[in-house]
Amino acid sequence: MISRHLILIWLLLVMHTGYPQSLKRSNIWYFGRNAGLDFNTSPPTPISNNTLNTWEGCATICDEEGRLLMYTDGSTIWNKNHQRIPNATNLGGNSSSSQSGIIVPKPSSNSSYYVISVDYEGASGGVQYCEIDMNANAGLGGIVRKNIRLLPRAVEKLTTVPHCNGRHYWIIAHETGNNKFNAWLLTENGIDATNPVISSVGQTHGYASRSAIGYMKSSPEGNRIALAINDQNAYELFDFDKKTGKLSNPIYLRDNRFYRAYGIEFSPNGKFLYLSQAQTQAFIYQIELGANNATDLMSTLTVVGRSINNDFGALQIASDGRIYIAQDGSLFLSTLNNPNQKGLACNFQENSIRLSKNSSLGLPNLIPSLFSKTISVNIKQAQNACGYYTLEAQANTTEPVSYKWYQNGKIISGQTTSTFLSKQSGEFVVEVTQNKECDTLRATASATVAITHLPLSKPTIISSSPSNNCQQTNVTLEVMSQNSLQYDWYRNNVKFATQLTRISVTQEGFYQVKAYNSCDSTFSDSLKIVINSIPTNPLGQDTSLCEGQHLLLKPLQSGWTIVWDDGSNAAERSITQAGVYSAQFEINGCNIKDTLIVTSKPSFQFNIGNDFELCFGEKTTLFTPSNAPTNVSFQWFNASQKDSIRVEQAGIVWLESDLNGCKYRDSLIVRLTNCSNLSTFVPDVFSPNQDGFNDIFYPIISQPDLVKNYYFTVFSRWGNVLYHTSNPKEGWNGEYLNSPCSSGYYVYTVQFQYLDGTTSKTHQQRGSFLLLR
């Protein structure tokens, strides 16, 4: 009889878990033309109970329960009742600034906040801040001070990064006309406005209006910063030192596909970077952040989203782990539903969130560290088969941590993993430690365990007499011990039976029984059994022989004396025909005869054709035989099992059939020859009047199937993109945004690559043409 009792008392104590804010501090969004979302529900609920009307920049912040505190467009601040906070106007920002403002809690305070603002297009408002006391005006907030200038002029980029000490924040902006970042430290004493950390690194941001446009974001862990440079069609990526406030290691990502670069966001796990463009027919791109140079990063560039009708704007991660995409003038937002996944698995969904009011280009500028979890731990208990209890420490982090286990106040030597097997009663405590760059996070949890049990006696094996003859012999083994025990049987240290008190064995070997209950160590007894056993089928099971092939007959085990039915005594026998084959064996002094029946199996034979030549860049298709039975499978030389294969390279091409395991192979040789004569003609006039003649404008390429990396773009006389395609078989219908364009001259560019013999060449052409109506 086994008695068990356990009492588990839960206690969770978290010591210095980093930032006090939770994910809920970002749960209310206000943006666009009085649009809003409430993330306190899932999915988020559309709301429009605000007075915010902004084209771009905005920011919101909630308390730790997800209740609204205030929101801003960088120029004005409204409280939770959607009223202007007294004197909280003319703060230096502008609703047309990409990131016109951001709201940051003052360290070690539950009521003070800093609202930092930046003017649009490098205007004279520069970067300013004000301080808000939310205890003022009966909890609706009041200005403590405002218009404290940090920079005279700056681009429209503003973000924050947590200091590595887990308490303070870096406020980061970029000057106009140079490559200087400014990082101010926000501490319990406020913003150190006179001693910014300046990093002269990366590209120069010019004075032109478009030079200022675009977002800047930090990763959730704060170790990287990325930004968009609108007029350069580029993005830039930096390392950030959370201890010193310095930016370093710039990586410049410029590409014509990044036309009007605007939005940028990191995935929650920091492994991917997402990019958007503020233009019609825009794309969402993903870059995998494993490399440290532009070439390797750009090699991972993937189009994960596209819209024909919407202008994409800001990208912003939310508390539900999804990335939301602004769409200018739309009643919808698009989303990346699984941003931690690579490529199309990130699951772009257009128009996935319906709003109550229209979106514009901007989304709330939130504190990225809101989406970085703090450390905590609890203990989970589970009873194992032995009656003991496994204590498992469950920490809420995927980063490396260390473990220490204590019993009754004393450290348990050698216990440094997340699990601990408790075989004794006592008070158990686990301490989890996570080392940060300039700080250490710790969390502890404890459990009380009480266990009682009864001892175990040794089992004894009783066996019948072993036999030494040539027939299959059964030997009975029986264990004598307590009825409450569980048993495992082993032969030559390999377990073959369990939960049995009596077994019958037919093979010789070293037999052992192990008895155990759910509390004590295992006891065992053993003995050796000698049996001259012989196999019943030394040649194995009946088999089959494929047509036109040979089969090697041999016994299942070497070292036996053998005489085949043809009088030979070779250890192996090769046959090419079906039939009945037999052999006489002498095994361990015992004689046995075995017979093997071999049946014939057909194969499917065919011809895939003669050798042939291909032009360089040309492709052709080969097919499996059409007269093959339905139970025949095929495999090409490249392991493909499809009904056809595209061939475009020289070499040997073979196809193999498989009919019930019988295979047949045929092959041919492909040679390449130079026969290309590619030419390009671009018309200088077209008339899209729907008369069926000359209605579509496009370059005419003599061999479009040889073309790769094709880019064809139509511009207005002022340089605006009216049409773009990467398909050489498509063209422009003379419309822009579903409206006919007027008669006149337009500009085109076309670029593509093609193979001339074995040489890859690039064709580039630019010109103008006349549209007639």
Side-chain angles (χ1 to χ4, degrees):
M1 185 68 181
I2 301 171
S3 172
R4 296 183 296 270
H5 180 65
L6 176 139
I7 302 173
L8 190 63
I9 301 175
W10 296 92
L11 173 63
L12 180 64
L13 173 62
V14 180
M15 303 172 57
H16 181 46
T17 57
Y19 292 89
Q21 71 268 15
S22 65
L23 288 174
K24 291 184 179 181
R25 302 209 72 170
S26 65
N27 269 11
I28 301 295
W29 289 14
Y30 290 126
F31 55 93
R33 310 303 182 183
N34 305 116
L37 287 173
D38 184 349
F39 286 89
N40 290 300
T41 62
S42 181
T45 302
I47 51 177
S48 58
N49 55 344
N50 67 91
T51 56
L52 184 72
N53 190 337
T54 178
W55 188 27
E56 294 185 79
C58 52
T60 61
I61 197 165
C62 303
D63 63 18
E64 294 184 5
E65 299 302 320
R67 297 180 294 249
L68 178 68
L69 291 177
M70 67 183 110
Y71 56 97
T72 182
D73 63 357
S75 178
T76 302
I77 304 173
W78 293 271
N79 61 27
K80 64 184 179 182
N81 291 339
H82 311 291
Q83 302 166 336
R84 288 189 181 91
I85 292 178
N87 198 28
T89 56
N90 301 317
L91 301 179
N94 190 287
S95 64
S96 185
S97 174
S98 303
Q99 291 173 281
S100 60
I102 194 168
I103 306 171
V104 187
K106 184 177 182 180
S108 301
S109 173
N110 57 9
S111 62
S112 294
Y113 295 83
Y114 285 80
V115 180
I116 302 94
S117 303
V118 62
D119 208 348
Y120 79 115
E121 296 181 355
S124 60
V127 179
Q128 304 180 34
Y129 76 85
C130 67
E131 185 176 357
I132 303 293
D133 180 6
M134 290 308 298
N135 287 335
N137 296 319
L140 296 178
I143 286 282
V144 177
R145 50 181 176 162
K146 73 173 189 176
N147 299 122
I148 310 300
R149 188 174 293 273
L150 295 175
L151 277 180
R153 292 182 183 274
V155 298
E156 301 176 5
K157 297 167 175 55
L158 195 62
T159 192
T160 66
V161 176
H163 191 280
C164 66
N165 62 20
R167 300 185 302 276
H168 303 150
Y169 293 92
W170 293 103
I171 312 299
I172 304 170
H174 195 291
E175 297 183 18
T176 299
N178 57 45
N179 68 340
K180 292 182 180 180
F181 289 89
N182 284 246
W184 299 271
L185 189 61
L186 171 58
T187 69
E188 295 85 351
N189 299 321
I191 295 178
D192 187 359
T194 60
N195 296 295
V197 176
I198 297 177
S199 302
S200 298
V201 63
Q203 299 297 307
T204 295
H205 293 220
Y207 292 101
S209 60
R210 280 187 56 201
S211 297
I213 297 172
Y215 270 67
M216 175 169 64
K217 292 290 186 71
S218 70
S219 62
E221 294 301 322
N223 58 344
R224 307 197 84 172
I225 287 179
L227 55 81
I229 310 177
N230 188 270
D231 67 334
Q232 297 183 28
N233 300 337
Y235 297 87
E236 207 163 13
L237 182 66
F238 304 86
D239 290 338
F240 184 74
D241 190 327
K242 295 187 290 183
K243 185 176 182 179
T244 65
K246 279 283 189 180
L247 287 88
S248 61
N249 301 324
I251 301 178
Y252 186 53
L253 306 174
R254 186 182 185 281
D255 194 284
N256 288 335
R257 289 172 288 181
F258 298 156
Y259 181 67
R260 292 190 175 177
Y262 189 78
I264 196 163
E265 185 60 283
F266 290 86
S267 62
N269 61 9
K271 293 183 179 180
F272 300 101
L273 187 66
Y274 292 93
L275 319 172
S276 70
Q277 307 160 277
Q279 65 165 354
T280 304
Q281 298 186 4
F283 297 87
I284 301 296
Y285 295 99
Q286 181 197 76
I287 291 179
E288 188 173 1
L289 296 177
N292 58 5
N293 63 82
T295 300
D296 290 343
L297 287 175
M298 287 297 292
S299 70
T300 71
L301 183 71
T302 304
V303 175
V304 295
R306 182 181 182 183
S307 177
I308 301 299
N309 301 315
N310 292 311
D311 288 8
F312 287 145
L315 305 174
Q316 179 59 53
I317 186 175
S319 58
D320 61 5
R322 298 194 291 178
I323 292 178
Y324 289 73
I325 306 168
Q327 299 178 164
D328 190 23
S330 173
L331 266 175
F332 294 89
L333 299 184
S334 294
T335 53
L336 296 167
N337 296 321
N338 301 303
N340 284 337
Q341 300 300 314
K342 184 177 180 179
L344 297 180
C346 70
N347 189 16
F348 168 79
Q349 187 176 358
E350 188 174 11
N351 297 334
S352 55
I353 299 295
R354 183 179 179 88
L355 305 172
S356 298
K357 295 292 181 69
N358 281 358
S359 168
S360 54
L361 285 176
L363 289 175
N365 193 13
L366 305 175
I367 304 171
S369 63
L370 290 176
F371 308 101
S372 180
K373 294 182 180 178
T374 58
I375 184 174
S376 63
V377 65
N378 61 23
I379 294 178
K380 178 183 177 182
Q381 62 86 18
Q383 184 181 15
N384 66 11
C386 295
Y388 303 126
Y389 286 85
T390 298
L391 305 182
E392 180 183 2
Q394 297 179 326
N396 68 332
T397 179
T398 57
E399 294 187 15
V401 295
S402 60
Y403 299 90
K404 290 182 180 179
W405 287 91
Y406 298 82
Q407 181 178 5
N408 300 328
K410 295 182 179 180
I411 191 168
I412 303 174
S413 177
Q415 295 296 328
T416 58
T417 62
S418 60
T419 59
F420 171 67
L421 181 62
S422 171
K423 292 186 177 182
Q424 298 177 345
S425 302
E427 175 76 17
F428 295 90
V429 174
V430 63
E431 179 183 83
V432 178
T433 303
Q434 183 179 32
N435 293 319
K436 292 291 188 179
E437 183 178 356
C438 60
D439 199 13
T440 299
L441 307 184
R442 290 187 177 88
T444 63
S446 65
T448 300
V449 175
I451 301 175
T452 60
H453 56 81
L454 295 176
L456 171 68
S457 62
K458 182 178 179 180
T460 302
I461 298 177
I462 299 176
S463 67
S464 62
S465 297
S467 177
N468 289 286
N469 55 52
C470 297
Q471 302 300 319
Q472 200 73 17
T473 302
N474 293 335
V475 177
T476 300
L477 303 180
E478 185 175 4
V479 63
M480 304 298 293
S481 188
Q482 300 174 1
N483 293 331
S484 59
L485 298 181
Q486 296 174 320
Y487 304 98
D488 286 339
W489 289 91
Y490 295 80
R491 176 180 176 271
N492 299 332
N493 296 319
V494 177
K495 186 167 69 172
F496 68 93
T498 186
Q499 304 292 8
L500 298 174
T501 60
R502 176 182 294 182
I503 60 172
S504 180
V505 299
T506 58
Q507 294 177 299
E508 69 177 12
F510 180 78
Y511 287 85
Q512 182 184 38
V513 65
K514 293 183 179 180
Y516 59 91
N517 62 20
S518 57
C519 292
D520 288 290
S521 301
T522 300
F523 287 87
S524 66
D525 190 23
S526 61
L527 56 80
K528 185 177 182 181
I529 302 294
V530 178
I531 302 175
N532 292 329
S533 60
I534 58 175
T536 56
N537 299 104
L539 287 178
Q541 300 298 318
D542 295 343
T543 186
S544 58
L545 173 65
C546 292
E547 182 182 21
Q549 299 184 14
H550 74 278
L551 179 66
L552 193 64
L553 302 182
K554 60 182 179 178
L556 298 178
Q557 183 175 325
S558 61
W560 296 339
T561 301
I562 183 172
V563 178
W564 295 96
D565 55 6
D566 63 355
S568 65
N569 58 5
E572 298 176 347
R573 182 179 179 184
S574 179
I575 63 172
T576 58
Q577 294 181 347
V580 178
Y581 299 86
S582 64
Q584 188 75 30
F585 295 89
E586 182 181 334
I587 304 172
N588 295 330
C590 304
N591 295 316
I592 184 173
K593 182 179 180 180
D594 192 21
T595 299
L596 187 70
I597 299 176
V598 179
T599 57
S600 178
K601 292 175 61 177
S603 62
F604 178 74
Q605 302 183 12
F606 59 94
N607 188 325
I608 60 172
N610 300 322
D611 300 348
F612 62 88
E613 291 185 344
L614 277 178
C615 297
F616 285 106
E618 184 182 9
K619 301 178 183 179
T620 190
T621 302
L622 298 180
F623 297 88
T624 58
S626 60
N627 62 337
T630 57
N631 59 340
V632 174
S633 62
F634 292 92
Q635 179 170 302
W636 295 93
F637 66 100
N638 61 355
S640 171
Q641 296 181 345
K642 295 183 177 180
D643 292 336
S644 62
I645 188 171
R646 297 276 283 182
V647 177
E648 60 183 298
Q649 295 181 343
I652 298 176
V653 177
W654 55 260
L655 176 65
E656 186 178 81
S657 66
D658 187 331
L659 176 59
N660 299 322
C662 291
K663 299 182 179 180
Y664 177 83
R665 178 181 293 187
D666 189 30
S667 64
L668 56 80
I669 298 175
V670 180
R671 298 179 178 85
L672 294 182
T673 184
N674 186 6
C675 51
S676 65
N677 187 21
L678 186 143
S679 62
T680 303
F681 169 73
V682 182
D684 57 4
V685 64
F686 87 120
S687 54
N689 53 12
Q690 308 302 320
D691 62 355
F693 298 97
N694 205 21
D695 288 333
I696 302 297
F697 177 74
Y698 64 95
I700 300 172
I701 301 173
S702 62
Q703 299 183 58
D705 290 334
L706 300 182
V707 169
K708 296 182 178 180
N709 300 324
Y710 178 88
Y711 299 99
F712 172 55
T713 308
V714 176
F715 302 87
S716 69
R717 286 174 293 173
W718 297 275
N720 293 325
V721 176
L722 303 179
Y723 176 77
H724 173 77
T725 183
S726 58
N727 187 342
K729 298 180 181 180
E730 294 179 353
W732 185 43
N733 64 0
E735 295 182 357
Y736 178 64
L737 298 181
N738 298 322
S739 297
C741 294
S742 59
S743 297
Y745 282 94
Y746 294 82
V747 177
Y748 72 87
T749 62
V750 60
Q751 175 178 317
F752 58 84
Q753 293 178 328
Y754 66 97
L755 196 64
D756 185 5
T758 59
T759 303
S760 178
K761 292 187 176 182
T762 299
H763 178 87
Q764 293 181 327
Q765 187 170 339
R766 176 185 179 92
S768 62
F769 62 94
L770 180 62
L771 187 154
L772 293 176
R773 293 196 179 277

